[in-house]
C-alpha cells in the first residue's frame, strides 16, 4: 500500500521530479531489511554501552549520531545513498552538516511533539543546497508520531522562526504560511527513507503507542555551501564525496567567493566556539 510519494530506486528520475515539485519524497528499497536491522542492533548496542540513551518519558535527540556506532558512520557514507544525495543536490562534492537520531519517548506524554519548522533557520547557509536524509528505523503509522510535511512549502524560501523580540523559538512563527489542511502524514514501514528540502515545513506529533520510533537523520550539503550561524557539531563538515576543500563558497545569487584558499573552512583561533555538549 505504498502511496505515490514513495518510489523505488529504479524510478529515481521520477522521484527527483516529485521532490523538486513538492519538497519531499520517499524510497522503499534504498535500505534493505538487513541493513535496517544492523542499524537497530547498533542503536541497542550503543545504549548498552552507555554511548546514547533512550528516553522513557522524555524526547531524546542524539546529536553526532555517526559517532555513536561505526554502522551509523558507514551508512552515512554508503555509496548507494551518497550517489542518490549527489543526484538530489546536483553536485559531486558533498559534506555532512550534522547527524542525529530523533528518538521519541516510549511513554510519550507530549514531550515528543515537534512543532512546525524548517531546517534551514536552525543553521543558515550561504545557499539552499541542503537536505535531510531520514532512515525510519521502526514501523510508523498515525500512532507513531510520524513525520508530517506541507507539500510545496519549500517554495516559500526561509520563514521566520523568531518571536517579536527577535529571539529564536525553534518553530515557524509565520503562521499564515502554515496550511495544516494541506499537510501530509508520511506513514513509513521500517527501512523507509525520506528526503526533505531544507525549506520544507514539517512537524511530528507525540506518539500514542508504547513502541519505539527512531529516525536517523543526516543533513547533507554541497561543499560550496557554508554555514552562517547556529550550532556546529563534531561531524559538521565531514567530507562525504568529492572535493574536500572549502576553497569556493557560493551564495544564493550565484556569487562565488574564495574562502582563504583550498582549506578555507571556519576555525576557532581561541577555542571559544567549540560545540557545547
Amino acid at each position: 500500500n505504498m502511496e505515490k510519494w514513495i518510489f523505488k530506486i529504479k524510478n529515481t528520475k521520477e522521484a527527483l521530479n516529485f521532490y523538486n515539485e513538492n519538497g519531499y519524497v520517499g524510497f522503499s528499497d534504498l535500505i534493505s531489511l538487513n541493513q535496517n536491522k544492523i542499524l537497530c542492533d547498533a542503536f541497542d548496542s550503543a545504549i548498552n554501552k552507555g554511548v546514547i540513551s533512550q528516553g522513557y518519558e522524555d524526547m531524546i535527540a542524539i546529536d553526532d549520531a555517526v559517532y555513536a556506532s561505526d554502522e551509523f558512520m558507514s551508512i552515512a557514507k554508503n555509496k548507494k545513498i551518497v550517489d542518490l544525495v549527489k543526484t538530489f543536490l546536483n553536485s559531486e562534492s558533498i559534506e555532512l552538516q550534522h547527524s542525529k537520531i530523533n528518538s521519541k519517548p516510549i511513554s510519550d506524554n507530549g514531550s515528543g511533539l515537534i512543532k512546525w519548522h524548517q531546517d534551514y533557520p536552525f543553521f543558515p547557509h550561504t545557499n539552499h543546497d541542503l537536505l535531510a536524509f531520514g532512515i525510519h528505523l521502526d514501523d510508523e503509522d498515525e500512532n507513531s508520531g510520524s513525520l508530517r510535511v506541507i507539500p510545496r512549502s519549500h517554495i516559500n524560501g526561509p520563514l521566520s522562526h523568531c518571536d517579536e523580540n527577535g529571539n529564536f523559538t525553534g518553530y515557524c512563527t509565520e503562521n499564515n504560511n502554515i496550511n495544516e489542511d494541506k499537510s501530509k502524514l508520511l506513514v513509513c514501514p521500517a527501512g523507509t527513507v525520506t528526503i526533505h528540502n531544507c525549506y520544507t515545513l514539517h512537524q511530528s506529533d507525540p506518539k500514542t503507542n508504547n513502541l519505539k520510533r527512531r529516525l536517523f537523520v543526516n543533513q547533507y550539503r554541497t561543499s560550496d555551501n557554508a554555514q552562517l550561524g547556529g550550532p556546529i557539531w563534531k561531524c559538521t563538515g565531514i567530507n562525504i564525496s568529492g572535493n574536500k576543500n572549502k576553497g569556493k563558497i557560493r551564495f544564493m545569487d550565484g556569487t562565488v567567493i574564495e574562502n582563504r584558499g583550498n582549506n578555507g573552512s571556519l576555525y576557532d583561533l581561541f577555542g571559544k566556539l567549540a560545540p557545547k555538549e
Side-chain angles (χ1 to χ4, degrees):
N1 187 29
M2 291 291 185
E3 295 177 71
K4 65 178 183 179
W5 66 274
I6 298 185
F7 295 81
K8 293 191 180 298
I9 285 298
K10 67 180 182 182
N11 302 122
T12 294
K13 188 177 179 183
E14 292 91 330
L16 181 59
N17 289 338
F18 182 91
Y19 170 84
N20 286 333
E21 183 177 344
N22 293 284
Y24 74 100
V25 75
F27 286 94
S28 61
D29 61 346
L30 188 62
I31 300 291
S32 70
L33 287 175
N34 185 53
Q35 280 176 311
N36 196 68
K37 182 181 184 302
I38 287 170
L39 292 174
C40 289
D41 289 347
F43 181 91
D44 292 339
S45 175
I47 285 179
N48 292 336
K49 292 174 184 172
V51 176
I52 59 175
S53 56
Q54 165 70 57
Y56 188 75
E57 291 186 341
D58 296 315
M59 176 83 170
I60 292 188
I62 299 153
D63 291 313
D64 271 334
V66 284
Y67 297 116
S69 164
D70 290 344
E71 305 296 351
F72 289 129
M73 182 67 85
S74 176
I75 208 80
K77 295 182 174 182
N78 176 280
K79 185 180 186 304
K80 204 170 167 185
I81 289 172
V82 173
D83 283 348
L84 187 69
V85 171
K86 288 195 295 187
T87 298
F88 271 61
L89 290 176
N90 192 28
S91 176
E92 284 297 311
S93 296
I94 304 295
E95 293 180 346
L96 201 60
Q97 189 275 329
H98 84 271
S99 173
K100 69 177 179 181
I101 296 171
N102 274 345
S103 186
K104 298 255 185 189
I106 299 298
S107 178
D108 194 337
N109 295 319
S111 78
L113 172 68
I114 304 288
K115 294 182 178 182
W116 287 108
H117 68 281
Q118 301 171 314
D119 293 331
Y120 183 89
F122 284 79
F123 27 81
H125 277 65
T126 57
N127 64 63
H128 48 226
D129 287 337
L130 171 72
L131 60 77
F133 183 99
I135 302 173
H136 299 255
L137 301 182
D138 304 293
D139 288 326
E140 295 176 27
D141 59 21
E142 62 275 7
N143 302 311
S144 309
S146 291
L147 204 61
R148 187 180 285 277
V149 299
I150 299 180
R152 296 180 59 76
S153 57
H154 66 305
I155 63 178
N156 293 322
L159 301 174
S160 178
H161 288 54
C162 291
D163 63 20
E164 60 269 17
N165 297 318
N167 299 312
F168 188 69
T169 61
Y171 56 86
C172 181
T173 51
E174 291 188 43
N175 293 328
N176 57 316
N177 279 295
I178 302 174
N179 190 342
E180 290 203 49
D181 292 341
K182 290 189 174 177
S183 68
K184 181 169 182 62
L185 185 75
L186 305 186
V187 175
C188 299
T192 302
V193 163
T194 55
I195 300 173
H196 66 257
N197 184 282
C198 64
Y199 295 148
T200 300
L201 282 164
H202 57 290
Q203 65 91 239
S204 60
D205 288 328
K207 291 195 298 98
T208 55
N209 61 29
N210 285 332
L211 303 174
K212 288 179 180 174
R213 188 282 205 179
R214 297 163 296 179
L215 176 59
F216 175 37
V217 182
N218 288 315
Q219 289 271 354
Y220 293 102
R221 67 188 181 193
T222 55
S223 296
D224 62 0
N225 192 8
Q227 187 169 330
L228 295 171
I232 54 172
W233 290 270
K234 183 181 173 186
C235 70
T236 299
I238 288 180
N239 182 58
I240 296 294
S241 169
N243 192 354
K244 284 182 191 168
N245 73 59
K246 298 288 287 183
K248 297 283 171 68
I249 297 300
R250 177 171 47 91
F251 290 84
M252 301 275 195
D253 65 355
T255 300
V256 175
I257 63 165
E258 286 183 340
N259 193 31
R260 290 181 59 104
N262 288 343
N263 297 314
S265 56
L266 197 65
Y267 68 97
D268 176 15
L269 202 58
F270 302 104
K272 301 289 188 187
L273 298 175
K276 291 176 183 172
E277 289 298 324

